[in-house]
Amino acid sequence: MLITKALLWGQKQLQNKFERPRLEAEILLCYLIGCKREELILKQTQDIDFDSFKALIERRANFEPIEYITNSVSFYKYNFFIDKGALIPRPESEILVEKAIELINKHNIKKVAEIGIGSGALSICIAKECDCQIEASDISTDAIEVANKNIKDFNLEDKIKVKNCSLLDCLNTPELLISNPPYIDPDFKLEKNVANFEPHTALFAPNKGLRILFDILDIIKEKKIRYAVCEMGYDQKEPILEYAKELGLDEKIEVYKDYANLDRGFVLINN
């Protein structure tokens, strides 16, 4: 089938399910034939393997994230490999990266730890931008496999080490702790593309999504970690600040907002 006809067919299959069906069909077609979107106009009369394109469109029509279908996600300044074993990094987490880089540069931080490395995107962005060493943990061996592939692809094996454990159980105490932990209430109903495909261990946490966040605050207090940047849910500011107050950390925390002006994380400076 010609590319022009395939695109029209693909757009029609997706148009009642997604806001930009033409764009999504173009992305999948470019992935199939190995070209950039701006090159499609020069290939409109080219034949493609329609059965292969149809299979990609059907996966997307079933709400599978396009990032998993193409094994690619853009985050911060870079493109990363992604697969179902790891959470797809969101644009909001770029703010966490920026906050961490700011702290590292301002305070000359050399030792960083990440709880829940997932795809590796956060640690890799920081390692690319800063002169520091990073240790990271994750409870998921599937996520670690994705992270290690990205670390290798970016030639950062000497700067980032990943271990299979929970929280900081197998890591040294860092100067700076970063994390985008699971923080969604298990009773919250997510969209199909998230709920049916992304790893639940990276999404949900007990106690209305607060359990891991509280654990991280406990670790900061116990190990006297000086700096931390942590993502959280938009509705979790008050319980986080209340728990931080119980630990004597409330005056050391500043909550930051995301691009939608929603509370999205906190920076802690524990001097």
Side-chain angles (χ1 to χ4, degrees), residues 205-222:
N207 189 19
K208 298 183 179 180
L210 291 162
R211 181 66 272 156
I212 309 302
L213 288 163
F214 285 178
D215 287 344
I216 288 171
L217 288 172
D218 287 338
I219 289 169
I220 292 168
K221 174 71 173 182
E222 177 188 349

Side-chain angles (χ1 to χ4, degrees), residues 88-136:
I88 299 168
R90 269 60 169 182
E92 290 79 9
S93 297
E94 294 179 0
I95 303 171
L96 187 158
V97 170
E98 292 169 352
K99 298 286 186 184
I101 290 172
E102 181 180 348
L103 284 173
I104 291 168
N105 291 336
K106 182 176 181 180
H107 300 284
N108 194 30
I109 293 169
K110 297 298 181 183
K111 295 180 180 179
V112 179
E114 179 177 7
I115 289 175
I117 192 171
S119 66
L122 303 186
S123 282
I124 288 170
C125 290
I126 292 168
K128 290 285 289 182
E129 301 292 320
C130 301
D131 178 19
C132 62
Q133 293 291 316
I134 301 174
E135 284 191 319

Side-chain angles (χ1 to χ4, degrees), residues 213-255:
L213 288 163
F214 285 178
D215 287 344
I216 288 171
L217 288 172
D218 287 338
I219 289 169
I220 292 168
K221 174 71 173 182
E222 177 188 349
K223 296 185 177 294
K224 300 178 181 179
I225 296 173
R226 295 185 65 189
Y227 306 100
V229 187
C230 187
E231 192 165 310
M232 66 184 191
Y234 70 92
D235 58 350
Q236 294 173 329
K237 176 180 177 179
E238 292 308 319
I240 287 294
L241 292 181
E242 287 176 10
Y243 193 71
K245 186 174 183 179
E246 292 179 22
L247 298 175
L249 296 172
D250 54 311
E251 294 184 1
K252 305 175 187 296
I253 282 184
E254 180 180 340
V255 172

Side-chain angles (χ1 to χ4, degrees), residues 4-237:
T4 50
K5 291 184 178 180
L7 274 177
L8 288 173
W9 177 86
Q11 180 178 349
K12 185 177 180 180
Q13 304 308 305
L14 302 177
Q15 65 184 7
N16 294 324
K17 296 185 176 184
F18 304 103
E19 293 182 359
R20 300 180 293 177
R22 174 76 179 193
L23 172 63
E24 302 222 0
E26 288 179 351
I27 291 172
L28 292 174
L29 184 57
C30 288
Y31 168 70
L32 178 65
I33 65 177
C35 77
K36 297 179 180 178
R37 282 183 57 227
E38 55 266 28
E39 296 172 347
L40 278 179
I41 194 169
L42 302 175
K43 299 177 179 289
Q44 292 188 33
T45 58
Q46 178 178 319
D47 281 314
I48 65 160
D49 179 349
F50 179 69
D51 287 340
S52 296
F53 182 58
K54 181 181 178 183
L56 295 176
I57 291 292
E58 287 176 346
R59 289 173 66 184
R60 184 61 181 136
N62 193 41
F63 297 98
E64 182 174 351
I66 204 162
E67 293 88 351
Y68 286 153
I69 298 173
T70 62
N71 292 124
S72 178
V73 60
S74 177
F75 179 80
Y76 199 61
K77 304 176 182 179
Y78 309 103
N79 288 314
F80 296 91
F81 171 81
I82 192 69
D83 208 352
K84 291 180 182 179
L87 192 74
I88 299 168
R90 269 60 169 182
E92 290 79 9
S93 297
E94 294 179 0
I95 303 171
L96 187 158
V97 170
E98 292 169 352
K99 298 286 186 184
I101 290 172
E102 181 180 348
L103 284 173
I104 291 168
N105 291 336
K106 182 176 181 180
H107 300 284
N108 194 30
I109 293 169
K110 297 298 181 183
K111 295 180 180 179
V112 179
E114 179 177 7
I115 289 175
I117 192 171
S119 66
L122 303 186
S123 282
I124 288 170
C125 290
I126 292 168
K128 290 285 289 182
E129 301 292 320
C130 301
D131 178 19
C132 62
Q133 293 291 316
I134 301 174
E135 284 191 319
S137 68
D138 208 293
I139 61 171
S140 168
T141 55
D142 290 335
I144 289 174
E145 185 175 341
V146 174
N148 280 332
K149 173 175 171 49
N150 280 316
I151 291 166
K152 183 177 180 180
D153 288 346
F154 281 88
N155 298 312
L156 290 170
E157 296 99 322
D158 291 339
K159 293 187 71 173
I160 305 173
K161 305 297 181 184
V162 187
K163 297 180 181 180
N164 181 207
C165 68
S166 177
L167 301 170
L168 283 188
D169 290 350
C170 58
L171 306 182
N172 294 310
T173 300
E175 297 170 82
L176 167 65
L177 174 63
I178 66 167
S179 184
N180 177 17
Y183 56 72
I184 298 175
D185 185 338
D187 293 331
F188 185 79
K189 291 187 177 182
L190 294 168
E191 296 176 349
K192 291 180 181 179
N193 62 309
V194 179
N196 294 348
F197 295 95
E198 298 200 60
H200 286 196
T201 54
L203 292 167
F204 300 108
N207 189 19
K208 298 183 179 180
L210 291 162
R211 181 66 272 156
I212 309 302
L213 288 163
F214 285 178
D215 287 344
I216 288 171
L217 288 172
D218 287 338
I219 289 169
I220 292 168
K221 174 71 173 182
E222 177 188 349
K223 296 185 177 294
K224 300 178 181 179
I225 296 173
R226 295 185 65 189
Y227 306 100
V229 187
C230 187
E231 192 165 310
M232 66 184 191
Y234 70 92
D235 58 350
Q236 294 173 329
K237 176 180 177 179

Side-chain angles (χ1 to χ4, degrees), residues 251-267:
E251 294 184 1
K252 305 175 187 296
I253 282 184
E254 180 180 340
V255 172
Y256 66 82
K257 295 184 179 294
D258 62 18
Y259 302 120
N261 203 36
L262 298 172
D263 294 324
R264 185 54 60 192
F266 64 80
V267 174

